[in-house]
Amino acid sequence: MKDEIVFPMKILLYSSVFFPSVGGIETITATLASNIISLGHKCIVVTETPIQKEQKFDYEVVRNPTWRERLKITKGCDIIHSNGASVAMFPFAKLCKKPFVWTHNGYQVACVDGLGWLNGSPAPITPRESLLFHLSEKGFFHFLKEAIKLNMRRYVADRVDLNIAATHWVAKRQPLKNQVVAYTPYPLEKFTSARQNIPKKYDFIYVGRLVSEKGIDTLLNAFQHLISEPEYRHKTLAVVGGGGKKEELETLTNQLNLQNNVYFLGSHRGDDLIEIIEQAEIGVVPSIWEEPMGGVSLELLAAGKKMIVSEFGGHAECLKDASLSFPNGDYVSLSQKMKLLISDHNIAKKISENATLKIQDFNETELTKKYVEIYEKVLSEN
């Protein structure tokens, strides 16, 4: 008979990257930790990200701990939860005989790069094909190093107490044994406060990094295809974000003669970002790669935007009938969907109605409760 679980639980939540680093894993970790605390449990975040001056959180954050500190922290917790690609805490969990669960926010057990994307192009998302691809692209020594790391991740995934896929798409791409699907919580409340009844400056908006896998070039080509029709020639597009492809994308904008219709607004966060989103009508997430989770789609949906997203990956899975979708990289199809949303009021109305219902499925407190239930189940079985 299993020992009775003592409450509140104390969860060690590991994230290799964390504040002040900015990204999806960092956001999910912070949201999950805060909500674990609000539900009456204890949480300690362990990360490799250093900082000079710590921000105050409602949970403890330990940065770059020594192996002795990791051992001590692990002994003091009930369960170890690794959020992301790293297995750094797995040996300590085993040494201390603590349950270990692992959330997969990407394809780190299926391929070398964890993304299915390399050097601006799709890459295989199956182990053997991924290794052979990296061998041909980067040579034997890179192949050997990455083969060891990939097989180590696969070894750990076979031995954790539970694998958690962030979406059904991730679960399909790396079908592990002992795996469940649990959507990761995003802090959407700040986006739901976005004002709706204000004049719109932009017909379409993209929010995200300006990198190859995000498909902004697909969006620009689709937009050019749209405004080539005289009745749509005055439509506008806001591109919000920064990244290594900005100069290249601005050049493409000029080549497509879009400079009077497309606005590159740079990176924005917090209230500034919300204010820009308020001024847009339709959100477009044109990712070429198979994004594991639809975080930015959910943020724009929560802000009241009608949505168009790429078909393959987590965006379409999360939004379902609260969006229109198009095959990844197909700019003609994307252009048709853009035209449909601005010309067919019945479809636009239906999308908005579905969005109101869909966003309720991603309440951060409710999603955290599901994680807490997972912790309880794993502890009851150990």
Side-chain angles (χ1 to χ4, degrees):
M1 184 174 180
K2 303 294 183 184
D3 293 335
E4 184 177 351
I5 302 171
V6 178
F7 292 95
M9 291 181 290
K10 187 172 184 180
I11 297 101
L12 190 162
L13 183 56
Y14 179 82
S15 180
S16 61
V17 289
F18 192 64
F19 177 88
S21 175
V22 177
I25 298 296
E26 298 91 323
T27 299
I28 293 166
T29 300
T31 306
L32 186 58
S34 291
N35 281 283
I36 287 171
I37 295 295
S38 70
L39 291 172
H41 298 280
K42 299 177 182 179
C43 184
I44 179 169
V45 172
V46 175
T47 182
E48 313 300 339
T49 303
I51 193 172
Q52 297 298 320
K53 183 179 180 182
E54 184 64 85
Q55 176 176 318
K56 187 175 181 181
F57 297 98
D58 51 4
Y59 46 86
E60 184 180 358
V61 178
V62 178
R63 300 178 183 273
N64 289 320
T66 65
W67 70 268
R68 286 189 177 87
E69 290 170 331
R70 291 172 196 252
L71 199 60
K72 182 179 179 181
I73 295 167
T74 303
K75 286 180 179 178
C77 292
D78 298 305
I79 189 168
I80 315 304
H81 177 190
S82 182
N83 183 41
S86 177
V87 297
M89 294 304 297
F90 179 72
F92 298 94
K94 282 298 182 183
L95 282 170
C96 298
K97 297 182 179 179
K98 300 289 184 176
F100 185 94
V101 299
W102 188 5
T103 292
H104 301 273
N105 297 293
Y107 312 115
Q108 61 267 19
V109 180
C111 59
V112 168
D113 47 83
L115 300 173
W117 194 266
L118 182 70
N119 297 333
S121 301
I125 313 181
T126 51
R128 181 177 180 275
E129 288 72 17
S130 176
L131 285 168
L132 291 175
F133 179 78
H134 279 257
L135 173 63
S136 65
E137 289 291 317
K138 294 193 173 185
F140 178 75
F141 289 107
H142 174 81
F143 160 83
L144 185 61
K145 179 183 71 173
E146 295 301 330
I148 293 170
K149 290 165 64 176
L150 177 58
N151 282 291
M152 179 60 70
R153 294 195 296 268
R154 293 177 64 79
Y155 174 88
V156 171
D158 280 340
R159 288 159 179 80
V160 300
D161 293 273
L162 187 67
N163 290 291
I164 306 172
T167 57
H168 292 279
W169 189 272
V170 171
K172 178 181 73 172
R173 273 304 199 175
Q174 49 182 47
L176 303 171
K177 67 180 184 181
N178 196 24
Q179 178 171 248
V180 299
V181 174
Y183 290 120
T184 47
Y186 279 81
L188 300 178
E189 186 174 345
K190 60 184 177 183
F191 291 94
T192 61
S193 63
R195 297 167 296 169
Q196 305 302 322
N197 299 319
I198 66 170
K200 301 303 184 210
K201 184 176 180 181
Y202 311 109
D203 297 286
F204 302 94
I205 187 170
Y206 165 85
V207 178
R209 292 180 296 128
L210 306 186
V211 292
S212 59
E213 63 265 33
K214 295 294 185 177
I216 307 98
D217 53 347
T218 300
L219 173 57
L220 291 173
N221 279 290
F223 187 63
Q224 192 278 333
H225 195 267
L226 173 72
I227 69 169
S228 64
E229 299 186 34
E231 61 185 299
Y232 303 120
R233 67 183 182 276
H234 296 303
K235 296 301 178 183
T236 53
L237 165 66
V239 177
V240 183
K245 302 283 284 187
K246 182 180 180 183
E247 185 175 334
E248 182 179 325
L249 292 168
E250 289 176 332
T251 299
L252 177 60
T253 300
N254 292 332
Q255 291 173 346
L256 296 173
N257 198 28
L258 298 175
Q259 57 268 35
N260 294 325
N261 301 77
V262 176
Y263 300 84
F264 286 88
L265 303 180
S267 297
H268 291 268
R269 295 165 63 184
D271 292 341
D272 288 343
L273 176 59
I274 300 295
E275 186 175 348
I276 292 172
I277 291 173
E278 288 173 339
Q279 300 174 61
E281 188 72 34
I282 297 168
V284 185
V285 184
S287 298
I288 299 181
W289 75 302
E290 300 176 14
E291 295 230 29
M293 178 73 182
V296 69
S297 294
L298 291 170
E299 291 171 347
L300 291 170
L301 191 76
K305 305 302 108 179
K306 294 180 279 290
M307 294 299 301
I308 305 172
V309 301
S310 52
E311 180 179 346
F312 305 111
H315 292 294
E317 176 184 330
C318 290
L319 268 59
K320 292 187 169 66
D321 59 0
S323 69
L324 298 181
S325 63
F326 68 98
N328 300 38
D330 187 339
Y331 78 88
V332 174
S333 177
L334 172 55
S335 181
Q336 291 169 347
K337 296 301 177 359
M338 295 168 79
K339 180 178 178 179
L340 193 60
L341 265 191
I342 58 179
S343 62
D344 192 319
H345 297 295
N346 288 329
I347 289 179
K349 181 181 177 182
K350 185 62 176 176
I351 289 292
S352 295
E353 290 172 350
N354 293 341
T356 301
L357 297 174
K358 173 52 62 178
I359 203 63
Q360 297 174 17
D361 294 340
F362 291 89
N363 177 279
E364 62 182 88
T365 301
E366 294 303 314
L367 293 182
T368 305
K369 286 180 180 178
K370 292 181 180 179
Y371 267 88
V372 169
E373 291 171 2
I374 287 172
Y375 299 149
E376 291 172 347
K377 186 173 186 297
V378 170
L379 282 168
S380 70
E381 294 172 350
N382 277 267

